[in-house]
Amino acid sequence: NYTSALRHFQQWVRAERIAWDGHSAVSERVLCAYAASMAGVYAAGGASSKLAGLRFWHDQHGLAWHESDRLRRIMKSVGLAAPASTRKEQRPPVTEAMLDEALNKLDTSRPFDICVAAAALTIFWGQLRLGEALSSTRTYDYTALPTGKCVKLRADAGGRLDQQTTALWLPRTKTERSGVWIWLARHYNDPSYALQHHLHANGIARDDPLFAYKHDTTGALIPLTRNAFLSRLNEIWRASGMQTITGHCFRIGGTTALLRAGVDPEIVKVAGRWKSDSFLRYWRTLDTII
């Protein structure tokens, strides 16, 4: 995105016939004119991304970035002038009713479906991003994704007697590059029991991908990919007349479900590893929560 941002600025400079040699710092006046040119065209996020890309170019070349109060005021006005076409509809959350429907339709004797069920409950109640637990391809990245040894089941789900909450180690996340522990509490559709069933049914060893399944005929262990996971669940929900979703809808749904259950927002924030109050943007069914 940063490369395209610089290219966009270069095109704007040429179109406006502004003298810029492509090697020196952009003046504050030109930055303000560039920002103002995006009013009524881009949303605040799109305009900010383009300026961020231009600022990154300045940092790369050791040049001064001439930000000012005037530029910040202009950027605020650009956001207010954003056209309606730039406003995206809120992504729907995965709901507990959707999980119930999926669990009723998934085949508890089929290794693939067992793996999908365990992944769905873990990702939902752990407020995970899909990429933190599932591979994008069948080539598994063992340095970034969890393996069998990354799970510590609580006592009643087959873990150590002193283990009261199931723990999952994520080797790498979007914000924690050196890894982080996730804690899974008890729920009526319990992720701990789903994980226990999955580990046993699919024979997941310590160094195997955590979410993998035995092939129906060969018995070979295959990592569950994001596309396969979402396709199977959307297939069930589409047939039931429910909405179809994308990967991030699980994180939104898990956050919403915890808030609806009366969990303190600060606990939800820590459990979901939110670094700021940005998680408030993912609240859904606010009327019910209130």
Side-chain angles (χ1 to χ4, degrees):
N1 286 345
Y2 282 174
T3 302
S4 64
L6 176 62
R7 190 162 53 245
H8 182 268
F9 176 74
Q10 292 169 332
Q11 292 169 348
W12 176 81
V13 165
R14 287 194 296 269
E16 295 295 329
R17 298 181 180 180
I18 293 173
W20 182 61
D21 59 11
H23 303 289
S24 56
V26 179
S27 70
E28 186 265 356
R29 185 178 181 183
V30 172
L31 284 176
C32 288
Y34 176 56
S37 72
M38 291 186 272
V41 180
Y42 293 98
S48 296
S49 293
K50 294 195 181 302
L51 280 185
L54 190 56
R55 180 170 186 166
F56 179 71
W57 179 85
H58 278 70
D59 291 342
Q60 277 187 313
H61 293 81
L63 300 173
W65 175 250
H66 299 295
E67 189 166 353
S68 65
D69 290 339
R70 178 167 64 165
L71 179 60
R72 284 187 283 272
R73 287 194 297 272
I74 289 173
M75 287 300 294
K76 185 176 180 180
S77 297
V78 169
L80 294 173
S85 59
T86 63
R87 297 187 181 94
K88 297 180 180 178
E89 292 186 8
Q90 286 187 331
R91 282 174 288 192
V94 172
T95 65
E96 292 171 87
M98 293 171 69
L99 284 182
D100 290 343
E101 181 67 20
L103 293 173
N104 285 333
K105 296 293 173 61
L106 290 168
D107 186 347
T108 55
S109 64
R110 185 186 178 200
F112 173 74
D113 279 4
I114 293 170
C115 181
V116 169
L121 292 176
T122 301
I123 292 168
F124 182 86
W125 291 116
Q127 299 184 74
L128 303 188
R129 304 172 184 90
L130 238 60
E132 294 171 344
L134 302 180
S135 178
S136 58
T137 68
R138 289 188 178 180
T139 301
Y140 203 76
D141 185 351
Y142 289 89
T143 64
L145 296 168
T147 57
K149 63 187 174 188
C150 294
V151 176
K152 292 185 178 181
L153 294 173
R154 68 169 191 260
D156 61 337
R160 288 173 15 187
L161 295 179
D162 61 344
Q163 188 80 21
Q164 298 184 14
T165 306
T166 292
L168 171 63
W169 173 255
L170 299 178
R172 191 168 71 207
T173 72
K174 182 180 179 181
T175 56
E176 292 92 358
R177 310 307 288 179
S178 58
V180 65
W181 283 103
I182 300 297
W183 306 97
L184 298 171
R186 290 177 173 84
H187 298 280
Y188 75 94
N189 49 10
D190 205 311
S192 298
Y193 289 125
L195 280 168
Q196 179 194 45
H197 185 204
H198 160 62
L199 294 173
H200 175 74
N202 282 299
I204 304 298
R206 287 177 55 81
D207 294 323
D208 289 333
L210 176 59
F211 294 110
Y213 57 93
K214 291 179 180 177
H215 190 276
D216 290 337
T217 55
T218 66
L221 202 61
I222 303 171
L224 179 65
T225 64
R226 298 174 215 170
N227 283 340
F229 173 75
L230 288 174
S231 295
R232 180 66 178 115
L233 292 174
N234 279 327
E235 175 188 25
I236 293 172
W237 292 329
R238 192 180 297 110
S240 302
M242 292 179 164
Q243 62 194 0
T244 56
I245 53 89
T246 59
H248 206 63
C249 297
F250 271 88
R251 185 161 164 84
I252 298 170
T255 300
T256 302
L258 291 171
L259 291 167
R260 289 185 65 185
V263 180
D264 188 285
E266 289 301 314
I267 295 176
V268 175
K269 179 178 177 179
V270 174
R273 299 157 289 126
W274 301 96
K275 297 301 183 184
S276 69
D277 289 336
S278 61
F279 82 104
L280 298 176
R281 291 184 294 131
Y282 292 132
W283 285 32
R284 301 292 189 269
T285 62
L286 188 58
D287 54 338
T288 306
I289 294 170
I290 288 175

